[in-house]
Amino acid sequence: MINGNILKFGYGDIAVGSDGLTQRMSFQQFKPPAECGGDVPEDVEYIGEEIVLQISYDEYREFNKQLKSVLSKEISSFDFKGYVFDFTNYNEESVKVCKKRSESAMYSYFLCMAA
């Protein structure tokens, strides 16, 4: 669920998206909840405003470092770009989808590095 600047993961109600061309990640709450880490069903109702964050390579590295700490259960939440990413209701798939989408947001950057 999203409450102000707090994104509470592990409930299956936040759609996590990304755009590799613009290096952006997006987050939006929806209902009814779905399986954590799975595709968002087509028949959901989106709630509230979409949060869109543009990330640089250094920010990507920091975000993934924090996610790694969540996966190892060293921390349960962290601040990133003015938002609190709260994984207190721990679900490994929620963390993995955030990691996957952050990698997708950096897709073009990675392609340029490989060229």
Side-chain angles (χ1 to χ4, degrees):
M1 78 184 75
I2 299 175
N3 187 5
N5 72 330
I6 301 171
L7 290 80
K8 294 185 177 190
F9 291 91
Y11 298 94
D13 64 353
I14 298 178
V16 182
S18 60
D19 184 335
L21 294 176
T22 59
Q23 295 177 309
R24 293 182 182 187
M25 294 181 65
S26 62
F27 307 87
Q28 189 165 15
Q29 187 172 342
F30 64 88
K31 67 178 184 181
E35 182 181 345
C36 289
D39 292 333
V40 177
E42 291 182 22
D43 60 344
V44 299
E45 175 187 350
Y46 288 96
I47 304 167
E49 296 294 317
E50 180 180 33
I51 297 168
V52 179
L53 304 177
Q54 186 161 4
I55 60 172
S56 68
Y57 179 67
D58 288 336
E59 291 167 332
Y60 156 78
R61 289 179 52 204
E62 178 60 30
F63 186 72
N64 277 294
K65 177 182 172 186
Q66 298 290 354
L67 290 175
K68 191 180 270 188
S69 294
V70 171
L71 280 171
S72 66
K73 298 184 181 178
E74 296 171 34
I75 62 172
S76 60
S77 65
F78 60 90
D79 294 337
F80 182 73
K81 295 193 73 105
Y83 291 91
V84 176
F85 286 75
D86 184 345
F87 294 90
T88 304
N89 188 40
Y90 185 80
N91 183 302
E92 186 173 336
E93 294 306 314
S94 292
V95 184
K96 286 182 177 180
V97 76
C98 286
K99 185 174 183 336
K100 180 180 177 182
R101 289 298 171 197
S102 68
E103 290 168 354
S104 294
M106 296 304 300
Y107 181 74
S108 291
Y109 180 83
F110 294 149
L111 282 179
C112 290
M113 285 179 47

